Amino acid sequence: MSSVLSPGTPGGAYDAFLPGAVSRARTQREWTPDDGPLPTLYVSHGAPPTFDDGPWLRQLLDWAQSLPKPKAILIISAHWEDAPLAISSSAASTPLVYDFGGFHPRYYRMRYDTPDATALARRVAATMPEGEPLYQHPSRGLDHGAWVPLMAMYPLADIPVLQMSMPSQDPSRLMALGRRLASLREEGVLVIGSGFMTHGLPFLTREMFTEGVVPAWSSDFDAWAADALARGDVDELAAFATRAPGMPYAHPTPDHFLPVFITLGSATDPEAPARTAIDGFTMGCAKRSFTLN
């Protein structure tokens, strides 16, 4: 299924979605240690047009509601590649990063005022090996790879959230980073890798926006990834640049696929079959998102 966006009001789908979403979020059961470790997620995050896609918003909320409410969220987004490793500000209500251009002014006024995340920042720092620096930016907020999906998944904005930079484009190094973060799941922290299963922005066409056309480079890559994830074939996934169909069109740059390896690394068993939570296409790109325990 492919979405075609034709909003009468920018963000109007989000306005219609929000009252019911808030009502559901208020009844979500909180995580307890008896639940065991939270799963780890990979989410295709979209951009401001996500707020014009009512079905996608509901899919994101349904996914979040299927889990216990986390104590905190650590999210690694395609839009922050920085080494040495860094985390965002832990202060409450840190302003968002509006790292996009050409959209309606409404999207630059959106807010997602999360609580203080100092305790989470300390726990993240404690997972790092001795001697490996972890820099905390005093004023950097969440970029759209974090706040766009979280506004749908957790609309109350009442969960502490930190964003971590992606310090490498090497899948093995990202897997190792994920392994360090895995213990946080036992404390009720939801670890999320945020990208987009296909992200061929230079190759989008008018027909993809207006008619829901899905190009072969997107559908073929998505089918390949779905198969490898279902088989737990980490080596195949790590070789995506040379072995996946649809390359390099599906990912002219690797940043939106690489968060997959944070998710795999932080899973209990990276080679276990992943469970697809959301599939389909929007503007020709695959929004496949998945869960691993």
Side-chain angles (χ1 to χ4, degrees), residues 34-67:
D34 290 341
D35 291 310
L38 280 171
T40 180
L41 313 183
Y42 172 83
V43 57
S44 290
H45 62 245
T50 303
F51 297 116
D52 301 321
D53 189 334
W56 193 4
L57 294 170
R58 291 189 292 274
Q59 287 175 317
L60 289 165
L61 177 66
D62 288 345
W63 188 15
Q65 288 286 303
S66 72
L67 309 172

Side-chain angles (χ1 to χ4, degrees), residues 201-276:
L201 296 190
F203 311 109
L204 301 189
T205 66
R206 180 180 298 275
E207 291 76 18
M208 293 160 70
F209 284 87
T210 60
E211 301 174 26
V213 170
V214 177
W217 54 256
S218 185
S219 58
D220 290 351
F221 184 99
D222 180 58
W224 168 87
D227 175 69
L229 288 164
R231 293 185 290 105
D233 193 338
V234 175
D235 290 340
E236 179 76 0
L237 292 163
F240 73 98
T242 57
R243 291 167 65 171
M247 290 294 291
Y249 299 96
H251 289 284
T253 58
D255 47 337
H256 278 71
F257 191 69
L258 291 173
V260 162
F261 300 102
I262 297 288
T263 302
L264 293 171
S266 56
T268 303
D269 179 4
E271 296 183 345
R275 302 186 305 280
T276 294

